[in-house]
Amino acid sequence: GENVEQHPSTLSVQEGDSAVIKCTYSDSASNYFPWYKQELGKRPQLIIDIRSNVGEKKDQRIAVTLNKTAKHFSLHITETQPEDSAVYFCAASRTNFGNEKLTFGTGTRLTIIP
Amino acid sequence: DAGVIQSPRHEVTEMGQEVTLRCKPISGHNSLFWYRQTMMRGLELLIYFNNNVPIDDSGMPEDRFSAKMPNASFSTLKIQPSEPRDSAVYFCASSSIQGIGTEAFFGQGTRLTVV
């Protein structure tokens, strides 16, 4: 089955700086890679996703890159703000006109230092 | 739509008791997932259903855990008998088939404490 590794487990950055979280996956057939943000005591919520037919996707201060050859993908947050503090999870799944299970990484606790 | 609805939000039970967690997926969604979240193991998929049919239950830890989806709008996760190591937050999520890759929407979760 799929195995997703995520690094680092904790990350502290100064407000306004950039944060990068990296994930690797094992199943070369995986084709969908979402990122979820979970604030303390809340549910995980999707912030951005990327499919295997593109290499990069951006949404305002958030971007995700995908390297299929190396089987890794990364989340980039620029101009970080205090409200970016949360736990971030990457995930991978192999989907083809049907839902298949999302395998999550172990999470990165991001702390933005004012 | 109110989103994925889980009940109860909190459950405290004694070891050996039966626990039933409930989930109502978003209307129109045809996939439902049960996840367990702990500090040590992160988010683990326990089981998922497509069109009310269990597709993969390889994540169910042992026979004490069972899940059902009798119809498109309701699912249960049962633990019998419960043990202290089952203490965790249990999330239900749902999504709909839209080709390659679809957002999974999570419920608020049920925080289970077994004492």
Side-chain angles (χ1 to χ4, degrees):
Chain A
E2 175 69 278
N3 182 50
V4 177
E5 295 190 355
Q6 183 172 347
H7 300 280
S9 57
T10 61
L11 179 61
S12 295
V13 301
Q14 290 290 140
E15 181 178 353
D17 288 350
S18 296
V20 180
I21 303 170
K22 299 181 179 181
C23 290
T24 61
Y25 61 98
S26 61
D27 186 352
S28 57
S30 288
N31 56 9
Y32 177 61
F33 308 93
W35 286 87
Y36 282 78
K37 175 183 180 182
Q38 186 178 27
E39 297 176 350
L40 188 63
K42 302 277 185 72
R43 73 187 88 187
Q45 291 189 289
L46 181 77
I47 56 171
I48 194 168
D49 57 13
I50 190 167
R51 293 168 178 76
S52 58
N53 56 345
V54 298
E56 184 172 358
K57 184 177 179 180
K58 188 174 182 179
D59 182 4
Q60 300 182 340
R61 297 187 296 108
I62 295 172
V64 58
T65 59
L66 171 64
N67 183 327
K68 288 172 56 180
T69 303
K71 291 190 284 188
H72 67 70
F73 56 112
S74 301
L75 177 71
H76 305 253
I77 306 174
T78 59
E79 301 172 19
T80 53
Q81 300 169 4
E83 54 264 36
D84 295 330
S85 294
V87 178
Y88 292 80
F89 292 93
C90 62
S93 73
R94 179 178 56 183
T95 69
N96 187 18
F97 296 98
N99 286 291
E100 293 198 24
K101 58 185 179 183
L102 280 172
T103 300
F104 283 88
T106 49
T108 296
R109 183 174 300 279
L110 175 63
T111 302
I112 307 302
I113 305 166
Chain B
D1 199 314
V4 177
I5 299 173
Q6 291 186 245
S7 63
R9 291 291 309 278
H10 303 274
E11 177 80 29
V12 180
T13 191
E14 291 186 346
M15 182 174 62
Q17 296 298 306
E18 177 180 297
V19 176
T20 299
L21 312 181
R22 297 173 175 79
C23 176
K24 182 181 188 308
I26 292 173
S27 177
H29 282 190
N30 51 12
S31 288
L32 183 139
F33 309 83
W34 282 100
Y35 284 91
R36 177 172 68 177
Q37 186 174 37
T38 61
M39 288 295 294
M40 292 298 295
R41 302 174 69 91
L43 272 166
E44 303 174 275
L45 178 68
L46 301 178
I47 185 171
Y48 80 98
F49 297 83
N50 269 6
N51 297 314
N52 313 337
V53 177
I55 302 301
D56 185 343
D57 65 354
S58 59
M60 297 286 262
E62 46 199 275
D63 292 346
R64 299 184 297 106
F65 285 70
S66 62
K68 293 182 179 180
M69 192 165 186
N71 57 61
S73 59
F74 184 65
S75 177
T76 59
L77 177 68
K78 185 178 294 186
I79 309 173
Q80 165 64 19
S82 58
E83 297 182 3
R85 59 192 169 121
D86 301 331
S87 297
V89 179
Y90 290 80
F91 285 103
C92 175
S94 71
S95 65
S96 63
I97 295 176
Q98 289 183 20
I100 297 176
T102 307
E103 177 178 359
F105 293 83
F106 282 76
Q108 295 274 35
T110 295
R111 181 174 296 277
L112 173 65
T113 304
V114 184
V115 297

